[in-house]
Amino acid sequence: MMLIECPWCGPRNETEYGYGGEAHVAYPADPNALTDNEWAKFLFYRKNPKGLFAERWVHSAGCRRWFNAVRDTLTYEFKAVYKPGEPQPIATTNAPAQGGTK
Amino acid sequence: MADILPEHPEFLWHNPDPKPSYDAIIVGGGGHGLATAYYLAKNHGMTNIAVLERGWLAGGNMARNTTIIRSNYLWDESAGMYEKSLKLWEQLPEELEYDFLFSQRGVMNLAHTLGDVRESMRRVGANQLNGVDAEWITPEQVKELCPIINIGDDIRYPVMGATYQPRAGIAKHDHVAWAFARKCDEMGVDIIQNCEVTGFIKDGNRVTGVKTNRGTINAGKVALCGAGHSSVLAEQAGFDLPIQSHPLQALVSELHEPVHPTVVMSNHVHVYVSQAHKGELVMGAGIDTYNGYGQRGAFHVIEEQMAAAVELFPIFGRAHVLRTWGGIVDTTMDASPIVSKTPIDQLYVNCGWGTGGFKGTPGAGFTFAHTIANDEPHELNAGFSIERFETGHLIDEHGAAAVAH
Amino acid sequence: MAEQVLTDISALRTSPLAHMAFALQQGAVAGERGVSARELAFTTQIGLRAEPGSEAHAALAAATGVGLPASVGEVAGNAEGTAVLWSGPDEFLVVAPEGTELFDDLVAALGQSAGQVVDLSANRTVVELSGPSARLVLEKGCPADLHPRSFGVGTAIATVLGPVPVLLWKTAEDTFRLLPRASFADYTARWLLDAMTEFASPEVD
């Protein structure tokens, strides 16, 4: 059981949250311009690192807001939570670059 | 139960040091890795091969699954793969000369809503066209096959019928691994434990070996059977996999007299249960939703699964949970596995079995060995390529496979 | 044909827990381990949305008469009159006694600014749980920290009770208001009755 810090509501039980998978995945600017391979990569491929991972959560039973988190997928420890639009505070292999703002 | 577990010798396989070079290396010493090695040696004459296991033999999902074996999947590709697997299961105890308590006690998948009923009947029809022994049974027949089940219509998810596959069942998972390991060892396969792959050696786009914590090992071919760690291996090798790893939990009760003669699964309420040979009730839960490599999940998942189990089986209300645990399952977006060549020459991958890898053990080994030996997929796994995510030819088995994801 | 228009429909209204009133009354536990639950039906509830710092936010804050809460847990106003609960960084719920005429004023205050004023009076009912054991009852199924050091009088949060999403509002020492959505009210009431039962018996050491 994880105690997850909502950026707006503070620490709440894991059961109040929903999981949204990898964070900072941009919707293609022009889907029609993509090759089949690029479209497949967008649609079906997400990073799956063992270690730090930037990912999305939603506080479903609380303020119902989406936010981002950096969590260790091995220890499950949350290293940071941050609101959409805020820079990613800790670098991960799945984020485009440290300080990304998507 | 009264079944006596078979005796086996103290050592079933040797513990060799890695040789400098092999014709093929299989990464991952679980059920699928061992089955792949077995069929490579037996069907394709490749005996200068090694299985590398970073921990101990069959200590991952092979030690953590709920041992259900069935083949009642919807699509032709899946029916082909899982039915081949079931047919292999039926001959393996004799072939491996090891009674691993394969028990064809039948498996039922319950339907709790009219939507379930329609989906189940459609699947039964598809199964029958593919020669899979599936049938639709009424709630009364469910009760006859499994008397402790509650088929009352006053519960949250009443039993409205079930699909039933009589040839399906369970087997003793660790004995299956030992049986494969012994035969592999007899045929000259090196089973190397505590040997973690840390990188891949490539010559251009061709893999030529692996780096391990026990040194570099050259190989003509490398085959990945890393289950939950498939993405980690693929990243080391330099290609992408459409895999997400999740914790999946299961549990056993303390030992009981025989009360549950078959296997009952319910996709809708996320529970699957059988009674193992020793007498413990074996139950599986749904996946924890987040990505995880921790081999553990949260208790609320177990709690929800137990609530469903107790409603279906009121007498379980008096049973005690003895032990819970978690494994790491590698899931794909279409709930079907990947048994495939990769973008890298002579590198092959078998993964994405999600929550249902145990039943596929011999089928995966059989088709994957063929793929490795011939550098071409067998007709049974041709559809399970990585390319399907690009061509759009998905094999959506969420109805048949997705108790948990 | 003469037009027949029913102008006063209040006699036809049925609150989400009307059918449970007797059961809740019977389930009350008296004494030093006491706890009881009752429905506060037909409260006025208005959902507001406005970005803090915006013109709309300022206008709505003025129009409620009690302001708008600034962050999680805060309640503007009080339980006897008009109160505004924080339900998200730009989302608030006005809860006021039955018949409170506030909706038109809020709509007028918002005007054409970006924001929202929605009558949500039928969305949730209110269950008041009170007595020395009220917190113990809630702690059986609410994962939030309800200890007074972090959940004092005048605190309200969105959380869950068992599987039911609720707004939980501590209105006095030993008194909580639960706001489940109408269709979950029956389950919530039965859940509470079940959780309250043990307090009718002496504490087991």
Side-chain angles (χ1 to χ4, degrees), chain C residues 58-173:
Chain C
L60 290 175
T64 63
V66 293
L68 292 174
S71 65
V72 64
E74 285 185 21
V75 178
N78 61 70
E80 287 68 45
T82 298
V84 189
L85 281 55
W86 187 94
S87 38
D90 62 352
E91 192 170 2
F92 315 92
L93 183 70
V94 177
V95 183
E98 181 181 0
T100 303
E101 298 289 347
L102 196 55
F103 182 73
D104 292 343
D105 293 347
L106 288 165
V107 171
L110 180 63
Q112 296 304 307
S113 308
Q116 202 175 58
V117 178
V118 186
D119 186 350
L120 296 175
S121 299
N123 183 28
R124 297 172 187 268
T125 191
V126 181
V127 186
E128 187 177 77
L129 186 74
S130 57
S133 295
R135 174 159 72 97
L136 294 173
V137 168
L138 295 175
E139 282 173 343
K140 292 184 184 188
C142 177
D145 182 2
L146 302 183
H147 192 279
R149 78 180 153 237
S150 70
F151 203 81
V153 174
T155 306
I157 57 169
T159 181
V160 291
L161 184 70
V164 178
V166 294
L167 301 177
L168 179 63
W169 179 13
K170 187 169 180 181
T171 52
E173 243 7 281

Side-chain angles (χ1 to χ4, degrees), chain B residues 20-197:
Chain B
S21 174
Y22 291 95
D23 292 341
I25 280 175
I26 294 157
V27 183
H32 284 217
L34 292 166
T36 301
Y38 170 73
Y39 286 111
L40 267 179
K42 173 175 167 283
N43 292 357
H44 305 282
M46 292 180 68
T47 54
N48 180 32
I49 62 176
V51 177
L52 308 185
E53 167 54 50
R54 87 185 172 107
W56 61 91
L57 192 88
N61 293 346
M62 193 61 174
R64 296 158 196 270
N65 67 82
T66 50
T67 81
I68 296 170
I69 295 166
R70 62 188 171 89
S71 66
N72 54 347
Y73 282 69
L74 178 65
W75 298 104
D76 294 349
E77 292 91 340
S78 317
M81 171 65 88
Y82 289 101
E83 180 59 20
K84 174 66 183 178
S85 201
L86 180 50
K87 289 204 165 74
L88 291 171
W89 278 113
E90 286 172 327
Q91 68 195 52
L92 274 174
E94 196 175 328
E95 190 178 314
L96 299 176
E97 299 173 277
Y98 199 120
D99 176 11
F100 50 72
L101 302 177
F102 178 44
S103 164
Q104 293 179 285
R105 57 181 62 189
V107 171
M108 61 176 82
N109 294 70
L110 302 178
H112 298 286
T113 66
L114 289 175
D116 278 359
V117 171
R118 280 190 291 271
E119 195 276 334
S120 302
M121 285 181 160
R122 175 193 181 202
R123 189 141 53 84
V124 164
N127 288 162
Q128 290 173 350
L129 288 172
N130 276 316
V132 176
D133 59 322
E135 54 193 275
W136 171 258
I137 56 175
T138 63
E140 291 69 32
Q141 289 171 297
V142 169
K143 184 83 177 169
E144 214 168 289
L145 285 161
C146 186
I148 58 169
I149 201 165
N150 179 6
I151 58 166
D153 59 6
D154 60 344
I155 60 176
R156 177 70 182 84
Y157 293 106
V159 176
M160 301 179 77
T163 67
Y164 184 59
Q165 184 180 20
R167 284 164 61 240
I170 56 173
K172 190 141 179 56
H173 50 98
D174 43 3
H175 288 223
V176 174
W178 301 339
F180 274 122
R182 182 177 66 171
K183 279 292 170 193
C184 285
D185 188 76
E186 279 176 14
M187 289 188 287
V189 176
D190 279 0
I191 296 169
I192 303 165
Q193 303 178 84
N194 300 310
C195 183
E196 180 173 5
V197 169

Side-chain angles (χ1 to χ4, degrees), chain C residues 15-103:
Chain C
S15 69
L17 287 178
H19 66 294
M20 291 295 290
F22 183 69
L24 288 172
Q25 200 184 323
Q26 294 295 299
V29 177
E32 58 184 36
R33 273 161 52 85
V35 58
S36 61
R38 63 179 179 129
E39 183 185 24
L40 307 177
F42 306 129
T43 54
T44 294
Q45 294 176 37
I46 305 167
L48 306 178
R49 293 199 69 165
E51 200 64 46
S54 69
E55 214 173 284
H57 188 274
L60 290 175
T64 63
V66 293
L68 292 174
S71 65
V72 64
E74 285 185 21
V75 178
N78 61 70
E80 287 68 45
T82 298
V84 189
L85 281 55
W86 187 94
S87 38
D90 62 352
E91 192 170 2
F92 315 92
L93 183 70
V94 177
V95 183
E98 181 181 0
T100 303
E101 298 289 347
L102 196 55
F103 182 73

